[in-house]
Amino acid sequence: MQLKPFKLERYFAQYEFSAPYLLSPSDCEPLTIPELISFASDERRQQWETLWLGYTESQGHPELLSLISDLYTQITPQQVMTAVPEEGIFIAMNTLVNAGEHMIVMHPGYQSLYEIAEGRGVEVSFWQPSSQWRFDPDALETLRQDNTCMLVVNTPHNPTGAHFTAEEWETIIAFAQKHDLWLFADEMYRYSEYDDNDRLVVACDAYEKAISLSGLSKSFALPGLRVGWLATQHQEAFKRFAMFKDYTTICGSAPSEMLAIIALEAKSAILERNLAIISDNLSVLDDFFQTHDKHFKWIRPKAGTITFVDYLGDESIQELADNLVESEGLMILPASVYDYQGNYFRLGFGRRNMPEALQLLGDYLTEK
């Protein structure tokens, strides 16, 4: 398998831990160990403090699998496999698609959602959005080929902040069913909808050949746990996943699994905390983009922690990104890391210090 450099991750590797300010993180404000443990029952706290640091069950801790399955309506604990989120993508793309086949993927998007398949000889067609960041489901028929085997979707969407309506989602699922396609749904940003009415039916609940990728990195503010999972009703796909995992991580981290159990048992409190941060930051963004309307154009998202902003200045977005990190210590993600044309950059608004980072951007533009 020949894989190209993962541009977004290489960019983060260069600046994430050296730049004092980040304006492009995709997660919510990460919890600390004391904050997370404060949600634990006495029994869980005791389990945490006496945790045995041996190997764990390959599929995942039984109590963790049970809590994950509770997030779905058609999924049992036996139909869930824990994995590092990126690992989940790697496993699925190595077991469900083959050289000579074709897949459709939303673009711009997280590179591994298509790069791994391309590296294995799969032909990829990009499903592109309109200028309003709407992905038209009617375009799928024009992209489909006789050898199309998979449709890859991500909603709420990274990096645009787009989110399907219920009607659009029904059309997408019907398209996959009609053509007997695998439907790989990256649902990492689920539960970050600003209105619960905008939350969609989970892909793996709606369609047998759907695979849902989710985890605790984004909406649950726990990226450092590296806990994600794959869920599907399809028995053969699940068997393939389990066999392939024997060649990746084999099993999860015992401390991470116990902390994940505590997090899922405190789901309501954690999500409420994170949505409050998102809501406050969106209000700041509303004011900022109204003040700087000559510099930026943005589409206010309905869900998620990120948005794709169009920079209207004279310099390229790469030049702006370089100048900001060099002069202000402020990192932004230019569209080039998504192989996407235009003067766009990803802006993340899930962290508490976003207003401070945003102020640096505003001051830079004012002083130019």
Side-chain angles (χ1 to χ4, degrees), residues 22 25-32 35 216-223 270 273-278 281 305 349-355:
L22 308 179
S26 57
D27 55 356
C28 293
E29 180 70 25
L31 290 157
T32 64
E35 285 177 306
L216 302 183
S217 297
K218 310 302 182 183
S219 304
F220 283 84
L222 292 166
I270 291 174
R273 170 234 193 221
N274 296 337
L275 286 169
I277 296 171
I278 290 171
N281 283 344
T305 56
F349 49 90
R351 294 195 179 179
R352 286 198 174 103
N353 72 340
M354 187 223 68

Side-chain angles (χ1 to χ4, degrees), residues 315-362:
E315 61 195 321
S316 71
I317 193 61
Q318 188 62 60
E319 290 173 327
L320 176 65
D322 292 343
N323 291 336
L324 284 173
V325 77
E326 291 171 8
S327 66
E328 309 296 327
L330 175 65
M331 191 205 86
I332 63 171
L333 271 180
S336 59
V337 303
Y338 288 97
D339 286 323
Y340 195 75
Q341 299 298 313
N343 243 22
Y344 301 98
F345 71 98
R346 189 179 86 177
L347 190 156
F349 49 90
R351 294 195 179 179
R352 286 198 174 103
N353 72 340
M354 187 223 68
E356 188 177 356
L358 195 67
Q359 183 65 48
L360 287 174
L361 175 59

